[in-house]
Amino acid sequence: MKIKLFTICLLLVTSQVFALSECKGTDVSKWNMCTGTLYLPFDRKYIGDFKNGKKHGHGTFTFTDGATYVGEFDNDKYNGKGTFTFANGLTYVGYFRDNRYVSFFPD
């Protein structure tokens, strides 16, 4: 019982240690190692992590037509594991590089 309690406490503490703070101010170029919401022209929106003023880490990008990308970002681009869901419901799940779908998740 003590081990289970210790494990739960450890998980709670470490999850707080690695959580990014909320981005401050309106100058996105100054957002670094934080989580925020960026509203873009044409009703596009990004909610997620930022590093050096760029989308970096985990986030969700929503397009004007309702399509979404949920996954990893690096240097303002989809890079890594993610899910792209088109407005019509078609979904690509896999790896992305430089904003392009490159492969599905292997079994």
Side-chain angles (χ1 to χ4, degrees):
M1 181 66 177
K2 289 181 182 180
I3 293 174
K4 288 182 182 178
L5 184 58
F6 174 75
T7 303
I8 291 170
C9 290
L10 183 62
L11 288 171
L12 288 174
V13 169
T14 56
S15 67
Q16 294 301 315
V17 171
F18 296 110
L20 296 177
S21 62
E22 185 177 334
C23 298
K24 305 286 188 216
T26 57
D27 185 354
V28 177
S29 68
K30 294 182 180 178
W31 289 3
N32 190 36
M33 302 306 291
C34 61
T35 300
T37 301
L38 176 62
Y39 295 96
L40 298 159
F42 309 108
D43 293 325
R44 296 173 299 149
K45 178 173 66 172
Y46 171 77
I47 301 172
D49 302 336
F50 288 85
K51 181 178 176 184
N52 298 323
K54 296 181 179 183
K55 297 180 284 294
H56 184 89
H58 192 270
T60 300
F61 192 97
T62 304
F63 294 84
T64 304
D65 66 356
T68 59
Y69 171 80
V70 178
E72 298 172 357
F73 287 81
D74 183 25
N75 201 30
D76 258 352
K77 296 180 180 179
Y78 323 139
N79 277 300
K81 295 178 183 179
T83 301
F84 192 101
T85 304
F86 293 88
N88 67 4
L90 177 66
T91 301
Y92 287 173
V93 178
Y95 293 96
F96 292 78
R97 184 177 305 123
D98 296 327
N99 287 343
R100 296 181 185 268
Y101 179 75
V102 293
S103 69
F104 62 91
F105 288 139
D107 290 337

